[in-house]
Amino acid sequence: MRRFAPILAAAALAACQSETRLNSSPPVAVPAGATPTSILAASKPAEWRAIPPDELLVIDLRSGGRVVVQLAPAFAPVHVANIQALARAGYWAGAAVYRVQDNYVAQWGNNESDKPLPPGVVRQPPAEYERSLAGLAVTPLGSPDSYAPRAGYALGWPIGYDPKGGTANLAHCYGSVGVGRGLSPDTGMGGELYAVIGHGTRHLDRVIAVVGRVVMGIEHLSSLPRGTEALGFYKERSQDAAIASVRLASDLPEGGRPRFEYLDEKSASFAAWLHVKKNRRDDFYIRPAGGVDLCNATVPVRPAG
């Protein structure tokens, strides 16, 4: 075996160098002392992309808090179509947040009730845990990832992807919204949803359908009292955080619709923003990290207008 060691070492070195090249970002010119905030402030309006109103799920809590979720039909089309149909039919009337597990998720819905489903809802959607890379223009993260062969961005979303296998999946980051389900082959139909309120639960990638992300109001979920039962469920229904309504922004009056936009990951400002996220050199940061985790550099989203 000893005689093969130099060959194996050389092969390992070549593989490592190849990996480094694939995970390297091209040099980006940024102003000295620039911060992520200053780069976003200097970005051009044309670099931002509007989120369609029928892809914004507006959840109003009885406590007065509002949570807005951006849906991801390009990654989970059947689940998202179910969610849109449920919202339009008023399926979540009387629903509540009934599970809040510390550093994990806040979950809401009708809590496994026998409430009839509106017409058109697919009871057993396909396992939309990943999709084909075909048709996706991916912007690489440029840093190694622990949960996928590669990580990056597509259509404004943080993704893991496999160039050899030809697949891509949405990543479970803080604020990501997924579909509650039972044991496989159950895939969840979209009536029970959760939002990540702790460290990115990337171990759930390609295990559960991710259907969106919270773009406003995550504090109304993350600040709820933690459930004391197993998995963070509330012991008594009186502890549930009641939901007043769940609607699509497109079904709200024109003047009352929330509007959001995301920074195009193909834009110059995004490239500069990502570079600075990896290499902070402003007054506070004395030691640049030289890399970044995908969930620490999700695509910026802001209110439009």
Side-chain angles (χ1 to χ4, degrees):
M1 290 296 293
R2 190 173 300 170
R3 61 189 175 133
F4 293 105
I7 298 175
L8 293 174
L13 177 60
C16 180
Q17 291 172 337
S18 176
E19 180 77 10
T20 300
R21 286 193 297 270
L22 287 168
N23 280 314
S24 296
S25 297
V28 177
V30 296
T35 67
T37 301
S38 68
I39 289 172
L40 295 183
S43 63
K44 301 175 181 178
E47 295 180 302
W48 294 80
R49 302 288 174 261
I51 299 173
D54 62 349
E55 293 178 13
L56 290 173
L57 190 69
V58 182
I59 305 167
D60 288 316
L61 304 177
R62 292 202 182 277
S63 63
R66 169 170 281 190
V67 179
V68 180
V69 174
Q70 178 191 2
L71 300 173
F75 290 87
V78 180
H79 282 92
V80 167
N82 274 2
I83 291 167
Q84 291 168 325
L86 293 171
R88 291 190 174 109
Y91 175 80
W92 284 291
V97 182
Y98 55 82
R99 174 193 179 195
V100 182
Q101 187 171 358
D102 189 49
N103 197 32
Y104 201 53
V105 300
Q107 186 166 326
W108 66 91
N110 290 301
N111 201 3
E112 299 184 350
S113 74
D114 294 325
K115 193 169 186 176
L117 298 178
V121 172
V122 179
R123 291 180 177 271
Q124 181 69 22
E128 297 178 307
Y129 308 152
E130 57 187 5
R131 58 153 287 173
S132 170
L133 264 176
L136 283 184
V138 177
T139 297
L141 173 67
S143 296
D145 188 74
S146 298
Y147 293 91
R150 300 283 186 275
Y153 309 91
L155 302 176
W157 297 91
I159 65 167
Y161 63 102
D162 182 357
K164 292 183 179 179
T167 59
N169 62 274
L170 289 182
H172 273 83
C173 297
Y174 182 77
S176 292
V177 174
V179 176
R181 68 168 179 84
L183 297 178
S184 183
D186 181 32
T187 59
M189 61 85 180
E192 308 300 311
L193 300 172
Y194 63 85
V196 177
I197 59 168
H199 184 71
T201 54
R202 293 289 305 282
H203 57 283
L204 295 178
D205 288 3
R206 298 181 297 128
V207 173
I208 298 179
V210 181
V211 293
R213 60 185 167 195
V214 176
V215 295
M216 187 186 83
I218 188 66
E219 68 275 11
H220 299 303
L221 300 175
S222 62
S223 64
L224 289 171
R226 274 37 180 171
T228 57
E229 297 300 285
L231 303 179
F233 284 87
Y234 289 136
K235 185 175 183 178
E236 306 293 341
R237 295 283 65 81
S238 60
Q239 297 175 283
D240 293 353
I243 292 174
S245 65
V246 179
R247 298 167 290 176
L248 295 173
S250 55
D251 292 332
L252 297 177
E254 181 76 25
R257 293 178 183 175
R259 291 175 170 81
F260 291 88
E261 57 190 6
Y262 66 88
L263 184 62
D264 187 347
E265 71 272 11
K266 298 296 183 184
S267 67
S269 289
F270 182 86
W273 176 86
L274 181 58
H275 178 79
V276 171
K277 291 285 282 188
K278 299 177 186 178
N279 302 280
R280 293 295 295 266
R281 297 181 184 275
D282 52 79
D283 293 339
F284 184 80
Y285 285 83
I286 61 174
R287 187 171 291 110
V292 70
D293 179 81
L294 180 65
C295 286
N296 284 335
T298 56
V299 176
V301 179
R302 69 183 186 185

